[in-house]
Amino acid sequence: MENSTLTRYATGIIPISVLSVLLLSALLMMHAATQNSATFGNLYSTLLVINVLGAILLLSLIGLNLFRLIVQYRNRVMGSRLTMRLLAMLVSIAVVPVAIVFIFSLQAINKGIDSWFDVKIEQAMDDALVLGRTAFDTFKDDLVVKAKTMSAELEGSSDALALTALDLLREEYKLSELTLYSQEGRVIASSSEAGPDIQSLLPSQPNKTILSQVRQGLNYANLDPVADGELQLRVVVPVYGREVSSPLRILQVLQQLPGRYSKLGESVQNAFAEYEKLVYLRGPLKFGFTLSLSMVALLTMLIAVSAAIYAARRFVSPIRDLAEGTEAVAQGQYDKQLPEQGHDEFSILVRSFNKMTRRIKQAQSDLNKSKTEADVQRTYLETVLAHLSSGVLSFDKESRLQTYNLAAEQILDVDMSGWPASNINELNAKHPDLSEFISALKLAVDEKRKEWQQEIVIVGATGRRTLMLRGAAMPVVRTKKSGYVVVFDDVTTLIRAQRDAAWGEVARRMAHEIKNPLTPIQLSAERMQHKFKKQLNEAGQTMLERSTRTIIDQVESLKTMVNAFSDYAQPAKLRLQPVQVNLLIQDIVELYGASHDDPEKSLVIKLDLAKNLPEIEADPERIKQVLHNLVLNAAHALAEVKKPALCLSTKKIQTGGADYIELLAHDNGEGFPKDVLAHLFEPYVTSKEKGTGLGLAIVKKIVEEHNGIISADNQQQGGASVNIKLPVRR
Amino acid sequence: MNINKLLLAILFSAIVLGLNKPGTVLAEFSVTKPGAILTDKTMELSGQLRLDLSEKTEEALGKGIPLVIEVEYRLFRIRKIIWDVQLASWSFTHSIQYHALSRQYLVRGHGLDASNVESFTTLQEALSFMGTLDDLTLPLPQQLDNTPAKKNSQGYRAQVRARLVIESLPAPLRPVAYTSSDWRLNTGWVSWKIAP
């Protein structure tokens, strides 16, 4: 706080202005004093001191300011360079002319002062003085002669008569004052023209030197200036006694010079003295003028420099503010506002700057808001995309993958983390197993079809799957070229479900339309046989019996078939309980102990059951039916095979982070025909002449009712294999 | 004014030292055989001020510039432990001027009569006259306290100082005078004890 106050005092315009005015007044007075002005003459030294101190103060202020400026310059403070340049310019503008004027003025003053003095005038003054002296010497010589005469006349007069004698002599010679002194300088008698008044009660005493000179017998005569500026002649002569033993006396003659002579003499004296003084003072006068002028020049320069510093600071201040402001804006401080002062162009600039930053800030804020909204939208979209069951892929105008979602990865069963920014052609090369999918995409993307839908089938690790693809070109936003978006679903399950539903419907119809008439047909055939058997002959009876038997058998067969369909179509009514799969397998295998008379054709069931297998949550009857169907299916399939063998194995596995019991059934037959394999679990898909064609369809249905997974394949070494996975009970 | 003089003296001291030519004989004012006798009402002085002018000042005097010499006197009662107490002070200014027409040096204001003018044919006589302290009787402002207690004090002390008054010089000469030691003629305070 104190420091800033000090700085304000050091750099403000008011202190410098006040100081400048004071110093300039002091200078004016000093100049007047140099001219011997009576008013300021006494103040000369004070003024000189004030000016010198003022100059020192100014110098200190300037030094302080320059130091600050240099420090700022070194620290690269904004605006210091411009201030420095401006200062240098202003100082050179101010100082150089002053310096030139100073030098020329100094020369002019010196020459001017020298020109006051002239040899002729000096000679004239000397001559006037000599003339004056000569004139007064005539008076003096005359007075000396008179004094000597008077001295001779006084030789005979005693001290007692001296006064009378002096009066007479003074009257006779028209003198101002006559005084007779004893040898020791004591007044014996005195006669004065002025009379005995208080002022001149005592005669003007000759000094000791004069007295001693006269005592030695010498005359003294000289011109004496009197106190009031007048001149008088003083002549002092010895007065000898007539007797040898008489003491020496001394006579002093004072003669006031005539007024005219006195005035002229004084005038000559004064003029000479003044001129001499002036000649003598020439040097000091030059020094004084030089000093004054130097002070004027110095103070002017210092004031100019101070003013330049102030002006430069003042001028640069708004520019510095603006520079700092723009720097701040450049660094992202859009709320930067500068102080608005004054009404000049700078203030207009500052106001414009403030308006600009306000607008930038507003725009920035809007932008941020939009960005936040866009982010929210993006997050929303991403969330939606991530949770969509449909796979979504989007491509840019260069057919490079932009976005994909989790469902897309799951449906295609690939890791897509390396896909983005890859071109569709590159993807095709990388994933030949998806070639059908990618080809369909490529065609649609390349052709930029507006609305497009296609169903394709891909075969991969998870088997044969049907995908429904829908695509659309994205709308063109401004100049940004559009991309392409593809949405696809795995409709395999859906198609299967639809097919299952259709078969269910068929089964129900069959139950309704076929099964119902079967019982009356059977009863009617039995009644017919019973009623007409007795009326017919043996041959007829045989034929009737054969025919009714055929009807009854076929009706029975139809019933069986319809029941099978019914079972297939019926919704599950599971009675779930903990089940040991191995025990169920062993129960079923016992039923099929020796299925054929011919040991060559008897089905051998091998078991490879894992120990300590965990239980599953299942309906044991339904699982038995699964095993039963599998074994039956194998038995039928292996009917023509020598040494038919079916291997049933169980083990615990982990799939997708969950525990499963895997039941694998594989035989040593010919395997599934390839054309059947894809539709193996669909009803009425069978390679056998016998059978309802529902065996494996029911197996699959039951497995799926238990949330299990079933798959079928042919083994490499031959033989069919069916793989069932059932979730372990938790 | 004294402060100004002091400041000026400080300011120009460096210049002064620089301007002093080596070998210049520095004229000085001095006091020889100062003495004083105290009576109840007066102090009678004796002794001589040696007012030797420097070459420069003598030249200036010869050129008609009057020189003013201030002579100051002080009287103190000496005290034992603390500073001496000043009882009285006197100040006289004498001027000396050359009168070219009469070729005489005029001394004004010597003694107690300020209007007194004495003329001398030689400078030496004039200066000697100015410096004479003999028979100078200064009146005391109050009668001396000669009570036994005071009488037993340490006695009295007198001081004298004579100096050339630069401020009385013509203004153009003053800066030169302030910056040159030729013009600084000063005895400084000269003290002596007055016998009781």
Side-chain angles (χ1 to χ4, degrees), chain A residues 153-154 157-158 161-171 178:
Chain A
E153 286 181 26
L154 284 172
S157 67
S158 66
L161 292 172
L163 184 61
T164 318
L166 286 180
D167 280 341
L168 284 171
L169 285 171
R170 189 180 59 76
E171 286 292 327
L178 269 179

Side-chain angles (χ1 to χ4, degrees), chain B residues 10-192:
Chain B
I10 293 165
L11 281 173
F12 293 125
S13 56
I15 307 168
V16 170
L17 289 171
L19 287 177
N20 279 337
K21 289 172 193 164
T24 306
V25 179
L26 292 176
E28 274 195 355
F29 284 6
S30 60
V31 186
T32 52
K33 294 180 184 172
I37 297 166
L38 279 177
T39 66
D40 284 353
K41 291 181 179 175
T42 61
M43 178 167 76
E44 288 170 18
L45 292 163
S46 63
Q48 179 72 35
L49 297 171
R50 285 179 56 86
L51 307 173
D52 293 339
L53 293 186
S54 63
E55 205 177 315
K56 291 272 180 193
T57 45
E58 204 174 318
E59 186 193 351
L61 184 65
K63 295 289 183 182
I65 290 162
L67 301 180
V68 174
I69 290 162
E70 185 183 36
V71 187
E72 294 163 279
Y73 307 93
R74 287 177 183 170
L75 177 64
F76 295 92
R77 177 186 287 123
I78 299 170
R79 290 193 287 192
K80 213 171 188 178
I81 300 166
I82 50 172
W83 57 91
D84 300 348
V85 63
Q86 185 176 321
L87 298 175
S89 66
W90 300 265
S91 173
F92 303 101
T93 51
H94 317 310
S95 73
I96 181 166
Q97 190 177 8
Y98 181 63
H99 197 268
L101 190 66
S102 64
R103 281 171 285 200
Q104 296 219 71
Y105 291 91
L106 307 183
V107 176
R108 285 189 173 85
H110 181 257
L112 303 179
D113 182 5
S115 63
N116 188 23
V117 180
E118 293 283 343
S119 48
F120 299 90
T121 44
T122 64
L123 177 62
Q124 207 50 49
E125 282 170 33
L127 292 174
S128 169
F129 173 73
M130 282 172 88
T132 304
L133 297 180
D134 290 340
D135 305 332
L136 183 64
T137 304
L138 301 171
L140 294 173
Q142 59 194 39
Q143 200 172 337
L144 288 177
D145 185 0
N146 280 331
T147 53
K150 299 288 178 187
K151 254 189 170 176
N152 292 336
S153 75
Q154 302 292 308
Y156 296 93
R157 184 164 62 83
Q159 272 190 339
V160 66
R161 180 175 75 168
R163 62 182 186 89
L164 178 70
V165 183
I166 291 173
E167 279 304 301
S168 68
L169 294 170
L173 200 53
R174 279 178 228 163
V176 179
Y178 276 121
T179 54
S180 164
S181 64
D182 284 332
W183 291 85
R184 277 211 309 282
L185 300 172
N186 197 333
T187 60
W189 285 105
V190 176
S191 279
W192 69 95

Side-chain angles (χ1 to χ4, degrees), chain A residues 80 104 166 265 289 337 339 363-364 424 537 588 677 690 710 722:
Chain A
S80 58
F104 279 95
L166 286 180
F289 276 125
Q337 290 283 300
Q364 186 68 17
I424 227 165
N537 54 22
I588 292 298
L677 197 58
K690 281 184 176 178
I710 184 165
V722 175

